[in-house]
Amino acid sequence: MKILISADMEGATGVTWPADVLPGTPQWERCRSMFTSDVNAAALGFYEGGADEVLVNEAHWSMRNLLLEHMDERVQMLTGKHKSLSMVEGIQHGDVDAVAFVGYHTGAGAEGVLAHTYLANSITGVWLNGIRASEGLLNAHVAAEYGVPVVLVTGDDLTCVDAEGYAPGARKVAVKDHVSRYAAVCRTPARTAADIRAAAKAATALAGRRAPVTGKTFTVELEFDAEHLAAAATVVPGAAPSGERRVAYTSATMYEGIRTFKAVTTIVSAAVEEQYG
């Protein structure tokens, strides 16, 4: 049994503030250990539940945040950027039996600690087939195309609520309770590690490849905080204006959909001016 852990940082234990997740800041250095603790706890739980292999895919910012030297020696970690499927890289090879979303968060425009979708700002909303989309929702649809169930989600309490919409059967662990976008009531790392480990152990029973979900089409709509960003997004083939500060595109598969999303956000981030956005 092989488990993939997609590890993001905004939903990690103790994280509430941009400096907590921005590489190079003192707070990021401090929070890396708590992030690593969450991910390692999930891996340990999966091993205790019967997993033979755990692959951790770093999914935050530079994708070089976790402290490999503090992980269980059985874990393998995929680190670094420029991966075909970004946050769920590794799921496409046919050997993954389940995926866990550790350290996840709510989507752009929604309530939640450090809520966003791909870009920290600039994007004010994303909708997938008319439903407001978090990174979890987008990635869950990618996983479904490969027959891989989402069995564990960790983050703040609102992330767990969001996950009920895309992985109702998955185990959820709230490591903190939302107060505002930049504040939360946090549990200690010792407590969250124990909670995540127990949930991952139980979640292993949910692992097992399913029939791939096929035959759907996916319309993704993005709303930006400035019109010039929407215009920049239309450079991507298939992305067209859909409203004020909005663009949309339709993909025959979510594999194509997430790759187009990555292209759109890459181009938009390059169009952001430092002071005026």
Side-chain angles (χ1 to χ4, degrees), residues 11-82:
T13 295
V15 167
T16 63
W17 186 248
D20 294 343
V21 297
L22 293 175
T25 68
Q27 280 298 104
W28 170 76
E29 285 288 0
R30 171 177 171 265
C31 291
R32 292 175 76 191
S33 64
M34 291 189 282
F35 180 31
T36 302
S37 174
D38 286 2
V39 174
N40 194 52
L44 290 172
F46 285 127
Y47 284 127
E48 289 171 354
D52 302 297
E53 186 176 352
V54 174
L55 174 65
V56 175
N57 178 34
E58 279 220 48
H60 174 71
W61 205 275
S62 62
M63 301 185 178
R64 299 178 185 277
N65 308 277
L66 290 167
L67 301 170
L68 179 61
E69 61 271 30
H70 294 169
M71 303 284 285
D72 185 88
E73 63 182 10
R74 294 166 290 181
V75 170
Q76 295 188 87
M77 189 165 74
L78 173 56
T79 186
K81 298 181 74 173
H82 309 304

